[in-house]
Short mmCIF file of all heavy atoms in Angstrom, two decimals:
data_model
loop_
_atom_site.label_atom_id
_atom_site.label_comp_id
_atom_site.label_asym_id
_atom_site.label_seq_id
_atom_site.Cartn_x
_atom_site.Cartn_y
_atom_site.Cartn_z
N CYS A 1 -29.59 10.35 -11.94
CA CYS A 1 -28.33 11.09 -11.98
C CYS A 1 -27.61 10.86 -13.31
O CYS A 1 -27.00 11.76 -13.84
CB CYS A 1 -27.46 10.65 -10.82
SG CYS A 1 -26.02 11.68 -10.59
N SER A 3 -29.11 10.26 -16.13
CA SER A 3 -29.82 11.00 -17.17
C SER A 3 -29.48 12.48 -17.12
O SER A 3 -29.46 13.16 -18.13
CB SER A 3 -31.33 10.78 -17.03
OG SER A 3 -31.76 11.27 -15.78
N GLY A 6 -26.04 12.76 -18.62
CA GLY A 6 -26.03 12.26 -19.98
C GLY A 6 -25.29 10.93 -20.05
O GLY A 6 -24.31 10.71 -19.34
N LYS A 7 -25.79 10.02 -20.84
CA LYS A 7 -25.19 8.70 -20.93
C LYS A 7 -23.78 8.76 -21.51
O LYS A 7 -22.90 8.03 -21.12
CB LYS A 7 -26.08 7.80 -21.78
CG LYS A 7 -25.66 6.36 -21.74
CD LYS A 7 -26.67 5.48 -22.43
CE LYS A 7 -26.22 4.03 -22.30
NZ LYS A 7 -27.16 3.12 -22.89
N ILE A 17 -11.38 6.07 -16.49
CA ILE A 17 -11.02 5.37 -15.26
C ILE A 17 -10.46 3.99 -15.59
O ILE A 17 -9.45 3.57 -15.03
CB ILE A 17 -12.22 5.29 -14.30
CG1 ILE A 17 -12.53 6.69 -13.76
CG2 ILE A 17 -11.95 4.33 -13.16
CD1 ILE A 17 -13.80 6.77 -12.96
N ARG A 27 1.81 -1.62 -15.44
CA ARG A 27 3.08 -1.19 -14.83
C ARG A 27 3.44 -2.11 -13.67
O ARG A 27 4.59 -2.52 -13.51
CB ARG A 27 2.97 0.24 -14.32
CG ARG A 27 3.00 1.27 -15.38
CD ARG A 27 2.92 2.64 -14.77
NE ARG A 27 2.67 3.64 -15.78
CZ ARG A 27 2.25 4.84 -15.53
NH1 ARG A 27 2.02 5.22 -14.29
NH2 ARG A 27 2.04 5.69 -16.50
N MET A 33 7.29 -8.75 -12.91
CA MET A 33 7.99 -9.67 -13.81
C MET A 33 9.50 -9.49 -13.70
O MET A 33 10.25 -10.46 -13.63
CB MET A 33 7.54 -9.48 -15.24
CG MET A 33 8.17 -10.47 -16.20
SD MET A 33 7.84 -10.11 -17.91
CE MET A 33 8.90 -8.70 -18.18
N GLY A 49 27.45 -21.63 -13.71
CA GLY A 49 28.74 -21.77 -13.05
C GLY A 49 29.11 -20.69 -12.05
O GLY A 49 30.31 -20.46 -11.82
N ILE A 50 28.14 -20.05 -11.42
CA ILE A 50 28.49 -19.01 -10.44
C ILE A 50 29.16 -19.61 -9.21
O ILE A 50 30.01 -18.98 -8.59
CB ILE A 50 27.25 -18.17 -10.04
CG1 ILE A 50 27.70 -16.92 -9.27
CG2 ILE A 50 26.27 -18.98 -9.21
CD1 ILE A 50 26.60 -15.93 -8.99
N THR A 52 31.27 -22.13 -9.07
CA THR A 52 32.70 -22.36 -9.32
C THR A 52 33.44 -21.05 -9.54
O THR A 52 34.60 -20.91 -9.13
CB THR A 52 32.90 -23.28 -10.54
OG1 THR A 52 32.25 -22.70 -11.66
CG2 THR A 52 32.34 -24.66 -10.28
N TYR A 61 25.98 -20.99 -1.10
CA TYR A 61 25.02 -20.77 -2.19
C TYR A 61 23.59 -20.74 -1.65
O TYR A 61 22.77 -19.92 -2.09
CB TYR A 61 25.17 -21.84 -3.26
CG TYR A 61 24.15 -21.71 -4.36
CD1 TYR A 61 24.24 -20.69 -5.30
CD2 TYR A 61 23.07 -22.59 -4.43
CE1 TYR A 61 23.31 -20.55 -6.30
CE2 TYR A 61 22.13 -22.46 -5.43
CZ TYR A 61 22.25 -21.43 -6.35
OH TYR A 61 21.30 -21.30 -7.33
N SER A 66 18.63 -17.12 0.92
CA SER A 66 18.03 -16.74 2.20
C SER A 66 18.31 -15.29 2.57
O SER A 66 17.44 -14.61 3.11
CB SER A 66 18.57 -17.65 3.32
OG SER A 66 18.27 -18.99 3.04
N PHE A 68 18.60 -12.78 0.76
CA PHE A 68 17.73 -11.88 0.01
C PHE A 68 16.50 -11.52 0.85
O PHE A 68 16.13 -10.36 0.97
CB PHE A 68 17.32 -12.56 -1.30
CG PHE A 68 16.34 -11.78 -2.11
CD1 PHE A 68 16.78 -10.83 -3.00
CD2 PHE A 68 14.98 -11.98 -1.96
CE1 PHE A 68 15.88 -10.10 -3.76
CE2 PHE A 68 14.08 -11.26 -2.71
CZ PHE A 68 14.53 -10.31 -3.61
N TYR A 69 15.87 -12.51 1.44
CA TYR A 69 14.66 -12.28 2.22
C TYR A 69 14.98 -11.65 3.57
O TYR A 69 14.12 -10.96 4.15
CB TYR A 69 13.87 -13.57 2.37
CG TYR A 69 13.32 -14.01 1.04
CD1 TYR A 69 13.89 -15.05 0.33
CD2 TYR A 69 12.24 -13.34 0.47
CE1 TYR A 69 13.39 -15.43 -0.91
CE2 TYR A 69 11.74 -13.71 -0.77
CZ TYR A 69 12.32 -14.74 -1.44
OH TYR A 69 11.83 -15.10 -2.67
N ARG A 81 8.27 3.78 6.50
CA ARG A 81 8.38 5.09 7.17
C ARG A 81 8.89 6.16 6.20
O ARG A 81 8.40 7.28 6.20
CB ARG A 81 9.32 4.99 8.38
CG ARG A 81 8.83 4.10 9.49
CD ARG A 81 7.54 4.56 10.07
NE ARG A 81 7.75 5.85 10.75
CZ ARG A 81 6.78 6.67 11.09
NH1 ARG A 81 5.53 6.37 10.82
NH2 ARG A 81 7.04 7.80 11.70
N MET A 83 8.58 6.19 2.95
CA MET A 83 7.57 6.48 1.95
C MET A 83 6.52 7.45 2.48
O MET A 83 5.87 8.14 1.71
CB MET A 83 6.89 5.19 1.47
CG MET A 83 7.72 4.44 0.46
SD MET A 83 6.83 3.08 -0.31
CE MET A 83 7.10 1.79 0.87
N SER A 95 14.53 4.00 -5.63
CA SER A 95 14.69 2.60 -5.20
C SER A 95 14.83 1.65 -6.38
O SER A 95 15.66 0.75 -6.35
CB SER A 95 13.50 2.18 -4.33
OG SER A 95 13.47 2.91 -3.14
N MET A 101 20.89 -1.02 -10.41
CA MET A 101 22.35 -0.90 -10.34
C MET A 101 22.95 -2.04 -9.53
O MET A 101 23.99 -2.60 -9.91
CB MET A 101 22.72 0.46 -9.74
CG MET A 101 22.40 1.62 -10.66
SD MET A 101 22.53 3.23 -9.88
CE MET A 101 24.24 3.28 -9.39
N SER A 104 22.86 -5.25 -11.53
CA SER A 104 23.94 -5.33 -12.51
C SER A 104 25.30 -5.53 -11.85
O SER A 104 26.22 -6.07 -12.46
CB SER A 104 23.96 -4.09 -13.40
OG SER A 104 24.18 -2.94 -12.64
N ASN A 111 33.62 -13.27 -5.21
CA ASN A 111 33.75 -14.12 -4.02
C ASN A 111 32.39 -14.28 -3.37
O ASN A 111 31.46 -13.52 -3.66
CB ASN A 111 34.79 -13.56 -3.04
CG ASN A 111 34.46 -12.15 -2.61
OD1 ASN A 111 33.35 -11.68 -2.75
ND2 ASN A 111 35.47 -11.46 -2.09
N THR A 113 31.34 -13.58 -0.37
CA THR A 113 30.93 -12.44 0.44
C THR A 113 30.30 -11.36 -0.42
O THR A 113 29.27 -10.78 -0.06
CB THR A 113 32.14 -11.86 1.20
OG1 THR A 113 32.77 -12.92 1.93
CG2 THR A 113 31.72 -10.77 2.14
N GLY A 127 12.11 -4.69 -1.49
CA GLY A 127 11.08 -4.51 -0.47
C GLY A 127 10.36 -3.19 -0.60
O GLY A 127 9.17 -3.09 -0.30
N ILE A 135 0.74 -2.06 -0.46
CA ILE A 135 0.14 -1.31 0.64
C ILE A 135 -0.38 0.04 0.19
O ILE A 135 -1.54 0.37 0.37
CB ILE A 135 1.15 -1.14 1.79
CG1 ILE A 135 1.50 -2.51 2.35
CG2 ILE A 135 0.59 -0.26 2.88
CD1 ILE A 135 2.65 -2.51 3.30
N PRO A 139 -3.93 -0.82 -4.72
CA PRO A 139 -5.23 -0.86 -4.04
C PRO A 139 -5.75 0.52 -3.64
O PRO A 139 -6.93 0.79 -3.74
CB PRO A 139 -4.97 -1.73 -2.81
CG PRO A 139 -3.80 -2.54 -3.15
CD PRO A 139 -2.96 -1.69 -4.06
N LEU A 140 -4.85 1.40 -3.22
CA LEU A 140 -5.26 2.74 -2.84
C LEU A 140 -5.78 3.50 -4.05
O LEU A 140 -6.80 4.18 -3.98
CB LEU A 140 -4.09 3.49 -2.21
CG LEU A 140 -4.38 4.88 -1.68
CD1 LEU A 140 -5.38 4.79 -0.53
CD2 LEU A 140 -3.11 5.54 -1.22
N ILE A 142 -7.09 2.22 -6.79
CA ILE A 142 -8.37 1.63 -7.18
C ILE A 142 -9.49 2.16 -6.28
O ILE A 142 -10.56 2.52 -6.76
CB ILE A 142 -8.30 0.10 -7.15
CG1 ILE A 142 -7.43 -0.42 -8.28
CG2 ILE A 142 -9.70 -0.52 -7.25
CD1 ILE A 142 -7.19 -1.91 -8.24
N PHE A 150 -18.41 6.12 -8.01
CA PHE A 150 -19.69 6.03 -7.31
C PHE A 150 -20.27 7.41 -7.01
O PHE A 150 -21.48 7.55 -6.88
CB PHE A 150 -19.55 5.22 -6.03
CG PHE A 150 -19.31 3.76 -6.30
CD1 PHE A 150 -18.36 3.06 -5.59
CD2 PHE A 150 -20.03 3.07 -7.27
CE1 PHE A 150 -18.13 1.71 -5.85
CE2 PHE A 150 -19.83 1.73 -7.53
CZ PHE A 150 -18.86 1.06 -6.81
N GLU A 151 -19.41 8.43 -6.90
CA GLU A 151 -19.92 9.79 -6.74
C GLU A 151 -20.62 10.26 -8.01
O GLU A 151 -21.59 11.01 -7.95
CB GLU A 151 -18.78 10.74 -6.39
CG GLU A 151 -18.29 10.60 -4.98
CD GLU A 151 -17.07 11.45 -4.70
OE1 GLU A 151 -16.58 12.15 -5.62
OE2 GLU A 151 -16.61 11.43 -3.56
N ILE A 152 -20.12 9.83 -9.16
CA ILE A 152 -20.72 10.21 -10.43
C ILE A 152 -22.08 9.55 -10.58
O ILE A 152 -23.05 10.17 -11.01
CB ILE A 152 -19.80 9.82 -11.62
CG1 ILE A 152 -18.56 10.68 -11.59
CG2 ILE A 152 -20.52 9.98 -12.94
CD1 ILE A 152 -17.50 10.23 -12.58
#
Side-chain angles (χ1 to χ4, degrees):
C1 190
S3 61
K7 190 172 182 177
I17 290 172
R27 285 181 192 163
M33 184 188 74
I50 193 172
T52 56
Y61 176 74
S66 301
F68 176 87
Y69 293 104
R81 295 299 294 163
M83 280 189 275
S95 295
M101 290 169 61
S104 61
N111 57 18
T113 306
I135 296 170
L140 184 64
I142 289 174
F150 291 136
E151 286 174 359
I152 291 171

